[in-house]
Amino acid sequence: MTQLLPGPARGAGRLAAGLTLGTLVWAGLVHHGIGPAFRGSSWLEPSSFLLGDVPDTLLPALALLVLPPLALTVAIYFLTRSSLTRTLAGTATLASACFVFYGVEASGVWRFFHWRWSASIVLFAAVVGAALHAPLLAAAWQRLGWPLRLASYLPVFAFLVGYETHVTGTNPDLTLALSPWPVVQMLGLEFAASWLAALWVGVGLGLLGFARGARLAALGALAAGSLQLIALASAAESGVLLFRPTADHYGAAALLGFLALAVSVAWPPRDAATRAARGRNVLLGGALLAVPLVTGQTLTLLDYTETRDRRAQQIIDALAAYDEQHAAYPADLQQLVAAGILDEVPVPRIGLFSAQEFVYQDFGDSYLLEFSAPRWIQCAYNPPWRLEPGEVLDPEDAEALSGAWSCPRKPPEIW
């Protein structure tokens, strides 16, 4: 028989639910009131009705419009232990902050993308909010039976992997292409969520170490401080990270890891059993977050490499063979099949549901071969420059004799 919550606890839970609803409504009002006005706007787009009543500089606007939901979120943390309620309130507060920033500081982005920017901000806030609360969500997840665990986690896993492997702004036909701006995929998933996953795994290992004695505590502290550094270096080397980390980035990441571990260790109660249980929850939250992110990023890189270096290269080699036979490039790629050079024209391997084909343009003595890849990359190949009889190429342009891709072997850094 289910034990009913005591009256005060039930009352606190109901109050927390009401306050959470308040943060969500607040975020909706901020969205509709702070962004640039659109003609005939609905609740999917801003109408600017608040702009005349709030400061037109960022920090005062943030103080006025974000501190209230932040205060509600803090109160919700004290009123309830519900991970879902806390996550929703935190996500709504983060969304309000993003709406204020892009309404006051960068409204041109919103004007350009319309409702797609609203959707991108909501998705970004949901991704980062869930990643911030991953340990709490993992603790609640463990209390479910296995059927409910799978039913709740598999859709999240599929969404994160699908988003990583499919979203691009350079091909409007590619599934889930919201806008040509990397706010969700590159900032939300590959930067914020991936960093938080490494942080939670490191802190979880650190807590487990502190629960098992001084020697393992030292190893745990090392894990909390170093795991993020390993993740940053690996992401930078693979091309996933959107910038090249510096010594300052590594130092800040290590410091945050140590601070997060120190707070977790000092948080009451501080007995070994509680620290071990807390460590398992934090570790599991980081692992559940990391698995789909790493899977999606790995599949994206594999698809990119397969398409650029193998399938496109088959077409490039076939075009060179056709040119050698006919002293001209074909008008379309199907002529390569008709000439018996290819059995069929390869297609890009991008995600699971993409139906795109290589885009080919014939320019007579040259051509352009293109495909769209995730992470807002448009790949284009130009063949080697064909020298006319007696023509001499400038040494500075010698690279043109070998042909060139507009995209590197690894996805490029944005900053």
Side-chain angles (χ1 to χ4, degrees):
M1 180 180 296
T2 303
Q3 184 177 1
L4 294 178
L5 289 171
R10 279 188 299 176
R14 290 172 180 171
L15 178 57
L19 293 180
T20 300
L21 180 61
T23 63
L24 295 169
V25 172
W26 184 277
L29 290 172
V30 171
H31 162 262
H32 200 56
I34 200 69
F38 293 102
R39 183 176 300 175
S41 64
S42 66
W43 279 100
L44 294 176
E45 295 175 329
S47 66
S48 299
F49 75 88
L50 284 176
L51 284 184
D53 301 316
V54 300
D56 58 1
T57 53
L58 182 60
L59 289 180
L62 285 171
L64 180 65
L65 295 175
V66 180
L67 287 181
L70 181 61
L72 293 181
T73 300
V74 173
I76 289 164
Y77 262 75
F78 283 101
L79 287 169
T80 182
R81 296 178 62 86
S82 168
S83 59
L84 181 59
T85 301
R86 291 174 170 183
T87 302
L88 286 174
T91 298
T93 302
L94 179 59
S96 295
C98 293
F99 289 138
V100 172
F101 176 83
Y102 281 100
V104 173
E105 195 75 7
S107 60
V109 178
W110 218 332
R111 288 191 181 94
F112 187 79
F113 294 123
H114 289 240
W115 68 267
R116 289 177 174 82
W117 194 244
S118 300
S120 294
I121 290 177
V122 170
L123 284 173
F124 173 82
V127 165
V128 178
L132 283 168
H133 293 82
L136 298 179
L137 294 169
W141 185 76
Q142 289 186 92
R143 293 192 289 269
L144 302 174
W146 272 108
L148 283 178
R149 290 187 191 183
L150 294 175
S152 59
Y153 182 66
L154 289 180
V156 175
F157 179 90
F159 172 80
L160 292 178
V161 172
Y163 208 97
E164 279 280 10
T165 56
H166 286 79
V167 176
T168 178
T170 56
N171 180 3
D173 297 325
L174 196 56
T175 310
L176 301 179
L178 283 175
S179 72
W181 189 256
V183 65
V184 179
Q185 184 187 23
M186 296 176 70
L187 292 180
L189 295 177
E190 295 178 358
F191 179 59
S194 296
W195 167 70
L196 285 167
L199 174 67
W200 296 140
V201 171
V203 171
L205 291 173
L207 281 168
L208 290 174
F210 271 87
R212 287 167 170 79
R215 187 173 300 176
L216 289 178
L219 291 175
L222 180 63
S226 63
L227 194 61
Q228 296 174 82
L229 311 188
I230 297 172
L232 275 175
S234 176
E237 180 62 27
S238 66
V240 166
L241 203 61
L242 68 166
F243 61 91
R244 176 62 58 177
T246 65
D248 290 340
H249 293 121
Y250 287 116
L255 179 60
L256 284 171
F258 288 133
L259 288 176
L261 177 61
V263 171
S264 301
V265 168
W267 198 267
R270 291 184 284 270
D271 59 279
T274 302
R275 284 176 177 169
R278 190 178 296 156
R280 286 190 292 270
N281 289 335
V282 175
L283 177 60
L284 179 63
L288 291 175
L289 183 60
V291 168
L293 292 175
V294 172
T295 301
Q297 291 162 12
T298 301
L299 291 175
T300 298
L301 290 174
L302 290 175
D303 283 356
Y304 181 77
T305 302
E306 165 71 13
T307 300
R308 181 191 183 279
D309 295 343
R310 196 179 77 82
R311 301 192 180 193
Q313 191 60 46
Q314 291 177 352
I315 297 176
I316 292 168
D317 293 342
L319 288 167
Y322 188 97
D323 178 52
E324 186 174 348
Q325 294 176 10
H326 300 85
Y329 292 112
D332 59 67
L333 295 180
Q334 288 300 325
Q335 290 186 5
L336 299 174
V337 179
I341 301 174
L342 287 177
D343 294 332
E344 61 180 3
V345 178
V347 296
R349 194 185 80 179
I350 302 296
L352 298 175
F353 310 111
S354 172
Q356 71 164 304
E357 299 177 349
F358 285 102
V359 176
Y360 170 76
Q361 299 180 64
D362 172 34
F363 301 131
D365 59 354
S366 183
Y367 66 84
L368 186 67
L369 185 69
E370 295 180 289
F371 71 94
S372 297
R375 304 183 85 248
W376 287 260
I377 299 169
Q378 182 73 11
C379 278
Y381 177 82
N382 293 104
W385 184 266
R386 182 182 295 164
L387 294 177
E388 299 295 334
E391 182 180 2
V392 178
L393 193 68
D394 190 294
E396 295 182 357
D397 299 326
E399 291 184 359
L401 291 176
S402 59
W405 279 103
S406 66
C407 51
R409 288 192 176 275
K410 293 190 302 184
E413 298 165 7
I414 300 299
W415 296 298

